[in-house]
Amino acid sequence: MANVVIVGTQWGDEGKGKIVDLLTGYADYVVRFQGGNNAGHTLVVEGKQYIFHLIPSGILYESKRCFIGNGVVIDLGVLLDEMDELAENGLPVTPQRLTISENAHLIMPYHNAVDKGSEAQLKEGSKIGTTGRGIGPCYGDKILRKGIKLGELRDDDLFRDKLQANVDEKNYHLTKVLGSGPVSFDEIYRQFQQYAEKLESYIGNVSVELDQGRKAGKHILFEGAQGTQLDIDHGTYPFVTSSNTIAGNACIGSGFGPSHIDTVIGILKAYTTRVGEGPFPTELFDKTGETIQRQGGEFGATTGRTRRCGWLDAVIANEAVRLNGINGFAITKLDVLSGHETLKIGNAYEEGGRRLTAMPGNIRQTERLQPIYEEIAGWKEDITQVRDINDLPAKTRAYLKRIEEITETPAFIVSVGPGREQTMLLKNPFE
């Protein structure tokens, strides 16, 4: 029995879905524990691409059980669309394969309206870069104790009372503050009655089921969304997501005891990317950045937005090791760096004549950071067909070794392409 947490080490988009897909082959349960449909995990299986926003990537394995934990905020329309798409592809999602926590909070139509309206009011330069999917307002209501939980759909009187109170409050804010149109109580109520009917059999106590599985010796894989630098507490605030993305939240967001976690794997892209607004010290604004963006296909799975690209930032990689307690890396998209004569790794920052080896908490200070690089020889060979780590070019292996040295963390997994077969498993956390 082993319990493994997968987290992103950068600003998200590191390729977590692919690594979760690989390790799900050795797991029994797969758990999503935070975030909402602002995350997108892309998998390529037998040449077919799948994009998941809420359902754990492990759903592609028919013999595995998947869970959506209490730490996730759920847009039920998006969830049902994902379920329908999987069914159309011959992968029906049954209650025997997916359990959704009764304590997970629901993204309501007024959350989307407030999210978009609030972002539109911000001046250029102050925008957060929200996806507009209601994630932040939903988490806000959760903290303010105004949220609606999935399990409350079972109690019609309770749901109606909470919905009416929220619609009244949000419509005042939408119309009087944001200058937007109101939402309709009747439309939302009818819509969610339909959702409740379709999802009743999927609702359960995820914490209890995970503990029963642990006691029965099941291998459990916890699937994080976004990345460490988007953590609401430890990321580049306010340009972050609205949940805790680090490994500690795997326990809080699913109701699983922290002493039962065995291994934390950090997904580290071989270079660095960021979507939306916010500081990005190693960002490239030249043809090299454009080349990495093009070769890496760096477009957001959820928004379609172009990802900003830059050299590997070892400062945030080290922060991820510290914050998550990472035991090993899964290094992805190594193949994208083929063809560069010289590569760079940012080992520290310079700001105001000072050398920094950690991301500062002051966002204006963070925006002034200049990376301090070390250079390392690149390679020209196409490595997408390599299936054994020892068959990689010597310079590629040297790049990997340097990452391990700087972060004092070994590589458990190395990926040289989007397909399942293009992933080298050096150390299996479930063995």
Side-chain angles (χ1 to χ4, degrees), residues 86 180 198 213 218 237 375 407:
L86 283 164
S180 304
K198 292 179 180 179
K218 302 294 186 183
Y237 188 89
E375 294 187 353
T407 61

Side-chain angles (χ1 to χ4, degrees), residues 294-356:
R294 183 178 64 255
Q295 292 179 343
E298 294 296 352
F299 299 92
T302 298
T303 63
R305 292 182 294 182
T306 300
R307 297 182 186 129
R308 301 151 61 190
C309 297
W311 295 120
L312 181 66
D313 188 327
V315 176
I316 66 171
N318 277 315
E319 289 220 339
V321 171
R322 169 170 52 80
L323 290 168
N324 294 286
I326 291 172
N327 302 102
F329 284 129
I331 299 177
T332 61
K333 290 201 168 184
L334 188 62
D335 55 298
V336 175
L337 293 181
S338 293
H340 294 276
E341 185 174 340
T342 302
L343 304 174
K344 294 182 180 180
I345 299 175
N347 287 332
Y349 305 133
E350 188 277 329
E351 192 273 324
R354 296 182 301 157
R355 179 186 175 94
L356 303 176

Side-chain angles (χ1 to χ4, degrees), residues 118-387:
S118 298
E119 182 80 354
Q121 295 249 324
L122 296 175
K123 298 178 181 178
E124 287 301 324
S126 299
K127 293 184 182 295
I128 301 300
T130 174
T131 59
R133 285 164 167 77
I135 311 297
C138 182
Y139 275 117
D141 274 359
K142 177 179 179 177
I143 298 304
L144 290 170
R145 301 180 294 280
K146 299 176 181 179
I148 297 176
K149 300 194 294 184
L150 178 62
E152 292 170 346
L153 291 181
R154 293 167 158 172
D155 185 330
D156 190 63
D157 287 340
L158 174 61
F159 176 69
R160 284 183 67 97
D161 289 345
K162 296 188 74 170
L163 178 61
Q164 187 67 68
N166 273 285
V167 166
D168 291 345
E169 178 188 282
K170 298 305 187 296
N171 276 344
Y172 180 87
H173 186 69
L174 285 167
T175 58
K176 302 297 184 182
V177 179
L178 299 180
S180 304
V183 296
S184 167
F185 171 89
D186 290 334
E187 287 181 11
I188 296 173
Y189 177 71
R190 285 194 299 269
Q191 182 182 53
F192 277 76
Q193 276 188 313
Q194 295 172 3
Y195 290 158
E197 184 176 344
K198 292 179 180 179
L199 292 169
E200 164 67 27
S201 57
Y202 293 86
I203 303 172
N205 191 319
V206 168
S207 177
V208 168
E209 292 194 38
L210 292 181
D211 197 53
Q212 290 172 345
R214 177 187 66 82
K215 291 176 179 177
K218 302 294 186 183
H219 291 315
I220 305 176
L221 183 63
F222 295 84
E223 173 184 358
Q226 288 99 19
T228 298
Q229 285 298 321
L230 292 175
D231 185 275
I232 187 69
D233 286 300
H234 301 286
T236 48
Y237 188 89
F239 301 100
V240 292
T241 193
S242 300
S243 61
N244 288 109
T245 61
I246 63 175
N249 199 29
C251 299
I252 298 168
S254 63
F256 196 74
S259 62
H260 304 315
I261 298 298
D262 299 296
T263 304
V264 178
I265 295 178
I267 316 301
L268 180 72
K269 194 178 288 187
Y271 48 97
T272 309
T273 62
R274 178 165 198 166
V275 172
E277 307 298 326
F280 182 180
T282 65
E283 184 173 7
L284 292 168
F285 299 95
D286 56 11
K287 290 185 177 179
T288 299
E290 293 175 4
T291 299
I292 292 174
Q293 189 276 326
R294 183 178 64 255
Q295 292 179 343
E298 294 296 352
F299 299 92
T302 298
T303 63
R305 292 182 294 182
T306 300
R307 297 182 186 129
R308 301 151 61 190
C309 297
W311 295 120
L312 181 66
D313 188 327
V315 176
I316 66 171
N318 277 315
E319 289 220 339
V321 171
R322 169 170 52 80
L323 290 168
N324 294 286
I326 291 172
N327 302 102
F329 284 129
I331 299 177
T332 61
K333 290 201 168 184
L334 188 62
D335 55 298
V336 175
L337 293 181
S338 293
H340 294 276
E341 185 174 340
T342 302
L343 304 174
K344 294 182 180 180
I345 299 175
N347 287 332
Y349 305 133
E350 188 277 329
E351 192 273 324
R354 296 182 301 157
R355 179 186 175 94
L356 303 176
T357 56
M359 188 70 76
N362 182 315
I363 192 62
R364 292 186 177 176
Q365 185 182 3
T366 302
E367 290 169 342
R368 295 193 295 266
L369 297 175
Q370 295 297 315
I372 299 174
Y373 288 117
E374 72 168 81
E375 294 187 353
I376 187 167
W379 62 91
K380 296 183 178 180
E381 296 91 335
D382 177 1
I383 62 174
T384 57
Q385 302 304 313
V386 174
R387 300 295 179 265

Side-chain angles (χ1 to χ4, degrees), residues 22 329 387-390 392 400 404 410-414 423-429 431:
L22 169 71
F329 284 129
R387 300 295 179 265
D388 187 303
I389 194 75
N390 296 310
L392 286 172
L400 290 173
E404 292 179 322
F412 283 7
I413 301 168
V414 175
T423 310
M424 292 170 271
L425 182 58
L426 311 181
K427 181 177 179 179
N428 189 338
E431 293 180 349

